[in-house]
Amino acid sequence: MDAGTSSERPNQRTLTTRCCIVGGGPAGMMLGYLLGRAGVETVVLEKHEDFFRDFRGDTVHPSTLQVMDELGLIDAFLKLPHQQLQKMDGKFGDTSVRIADISRTDAKYPFIAFMPQWDFLNFLREYGKRFTSLKVMMKADATDLIWSGDRVVGVKADTPEGPVEIRADLTIGCDGRHSVVRQCARLEVDEIGAPMDVLWFRAGRHPDENESLFARVDSGKMMVTFDRGDYWQCAYVIAKGQYDAVKARGLDAFRADVTGMAPILKSGMSDVKTWDDVKLLTVAINRLKRWTRPGLLCIGDAAHAMSPVGGVGVNLAVQDAVATANLLAAKLVSGSPSEEELDAVRRRREFPMRMTQAMQIMVQNNIISAALKPGGQPLKAPFFARIVNAVPWLQGITARFIAIGVRPEHVRSPSSAG
C-alpha cells in the first residue's frame, strides 16, 4: 500500500501506544520486557495463540544468561527444565576433535542452556506482567503498516475480535526472516545465501545413553545432535534444494543414513514414523542494507537472518534487543526518536552481526560445502580444528566467539517500577 494512505476496515478498533513491537520471538519479547521495565508504553503483537512451535532455536548462550542475571531473573530462569553443554566435540570422518570448551572462558555462566524456546518466551511474558506499561497481544497478526507521508505511524493487525490499528510513535519489526514489517516498509535485503538446508527431527533417548559428541561430518553427510534429556534433537544437513531427492530415497534409507553416522540413535529413530516427523528448515543468510524508516526499526532476524552454524540466532536477537533498549528506552519515555537516533542501533549492532555471519560463511564454505559434495574422498578434520584440539587454550577462544560473541551487550536501560 502507498505511503500516506489508510483504509478503514469494518469493526476496526484503534489503540495508541508509544512503541509497537511486531513479533513475539526472542528479540520482540526481550525488547518488550526491557521497555516495559523502563516504563515505556509498549504493545507486543504475536500472531500465534501461544509460543509453542517445534524446531526453533533452543540454545541460550552465556551472553543471554548474563542478561538474565543483570535483570535479576537468572535464578528463576535456571529453574526451568534445561540441559547444559560446556564442551563441544566434533567428529570428522573417524577423527574426534574438541572444538570449544566454554569452561575456558570468563563467562559467569560457562555453559549453553538447551531450553525449549516456548519456555524462554513464556518466562519473559509472565515476568513482564509486573509492568503495567507492557501489553502482549496473542493471535494478533500484523498485516500492514500505517503511514503518514513517509513516516510509519503504526501497524494494522487482525485479531479474533476483529481488525485493529495500533498507532505508535515507534514501530519495531521483530517478526523474523520472513518479516511482514520489512516487506511493507520496502527495506532492501542483501541475500548472501547458504549451501545447505536442514532436516530437524527428534529421536528417543534412553537414560543410559550418553555422548558428548554433537557434530558429525563425513563425506557427503553432516549431522548435529543435542542431548535434550529424554530425546535427541537432531539436525541432518543436506545440500540446498535436495529435500525432494532425500524423500525420494525413502524413509528407511534416511533412517539408515542417520544411524550410520550416529549409531547411538538406532533405537530412538523409531520415533521418526513418517516424513511428518521431519521438518525442513530452509537456511538463509541475509541482512538489511538499512534497518530504519522514519518511525520504524527492524532488529533480530528481521534485520539479519543467521545460519544455524553456531546456534547463535536467538542470542544475536537478544543482544539486538538489549542494545535497542539501551539506546532508545530513555528517549521513548518522552517522545519519538528521530531516524538518526534509530539508526544508532544498526551502527551498534552491525559489526558483531557481520563478524558472526562472516564466521558462518567461512564454516559453510570450508567445511559444510566440502562435506556435502557427493562421492568425495574420506573426510579429514580441517587443519584449524586439529590445531584447536591439540592446544586446549585455543578451545576457550573458539568458545568465546560462539558462546559470548562479538561485543556482548549489557543491560543499561532504565528501570521504572511498574
Side-chain angles (χ1 to χ4, degrees), residues 96-129:
S96 295
V97 294
R98 175 148 295 163
I99 299 168
D101 183 351
I102 303 173
S103 69
R104 293 182 176 274
T105 70
D106 59 356
K108 185 172 181 179
Y109 302 94
F111 54 85
I112 293 173
F114 288 100
M115 179 184 295
Q117 191 175 120
W118 56 83
D119 284 346
F120 179 33
L121 300 178
N122 275 323
F123 181 90
L124 290 173
R125 179 171 61 167
E126 288 303 309
Y127 275 82
K129 288 178 179 178

Side-chain angles (χ1 to χ4, degrees), residues 115-303:
M115 179 184 295
Q117 191 175 120
W118 56 83
D119 284 346
F120 179 33
L121 300 178
N122 275 323
F123 181 90
L124 290 173
R125 179 171 61 167
E126 288 303 309
Y127 275 82
K129 288 178 179 178
R130 71 180 80 179
F131 308 127
T132 57
S133 53
L134 175 62
K135 178 179 178 63
V136 178
M137 295 176 61
M138 306 300 287
K139 298 176 72 173
D141 187 8
T143 58
D144 209 344
L145 297 173
I146 305 169
W147 298 82
S148 177
D150 66 350
R151 183 178 185 83
V152 175
V153 294
V155 178
K156 292 185 177 184
D158 290 330
T159 74
E161 294 76 34
V164 61
E165 282 193 354
I166 299 95
R167 298 274 175 165
D169 293 323
L170 175 60
T171 299
I172 301 184
C174 299
D175 51 340
R177 62 186 57 209
H178 304 296
S179 171
V180 170
V181 168
R182 77 180 185 192
Q183 180 181 347
C184 292
R186 301 181 294 279
L187 292 169
E188 188 177 354
V189 182
D190 184 8
E191 294 286 353
I192 298 168
M196 78 285 196
D197 292 324
V198 175
L199 302 180
W200 279 100
F201 60 94
R202 293 182 177 192
R205 177 185 175 276
H206 294 300
D208 59 346
E209 291 177 341
N210 292 290
E211 192 171 64
S212 63
L213 193 65
F214 88 101
R216 298 164 175 84
V217 186
D218 211 337
S219 179
K221 302 174 185 177
M222 179 174 179
M223 192 168 71
V224 177
T225 54
F226 303 111
D227 180 354
R228 300 304 306 273
D230 57 353
Y231 66 93
W232 298 97
Q233 181 74 68
C234 306
Y236 189 84
V237 183
I238 61 174
K240 176 68 70 177
Q242 290 301 302
Y243 179 51
D244 288 340
V246 172
K247 285 185 71 175
R249 294 181 60 233
L251 198 58
D252 287 342
F254 174 69
R255 292 195 196 100
D257 284 347
V258 168
T259 55
M261 290 198 78
I264 199 168
L265 300 180
K266 189 169 184 179
S267 62
M269 283 302 291
S270 61
D271 286 0
V272 182
K273 296 177 172 60
T274 73
W275 284 110
D276 289 340
D277 298 320
V278 181
K279 306 298 181 184
L280 171 66
L281 289 185
T282 301
V283 176
I285 298 181
N286 61 42
R287 53 194 178 225
L288 291 180
K289 294 188 175 181
R290 62 185 282 187
W291 298 17
T292 60
R293 297 283 188 203
L296 174 75
L297 169 68
C298 287
I299 65 171
D301 274 2

Side-chain angles (χ1 to χ4, degrees), residues 319-349:
Q319 297 290 300
D320 279 6
V322 174
T324 301
N326 287 347
L327 291 164
L328 300 180
K331 295 180 175 68
L332 279 166
V333 170
S334 57
S336 177
S338 67
E339 189 175 9
E340 174 69 14
E341 290 171 325
L342 297 179
D343 192 51
V345 176
R346 178 195 60 80
R347 296 194 301 270
R348 172 74 186 176
R349 295 301 304 157

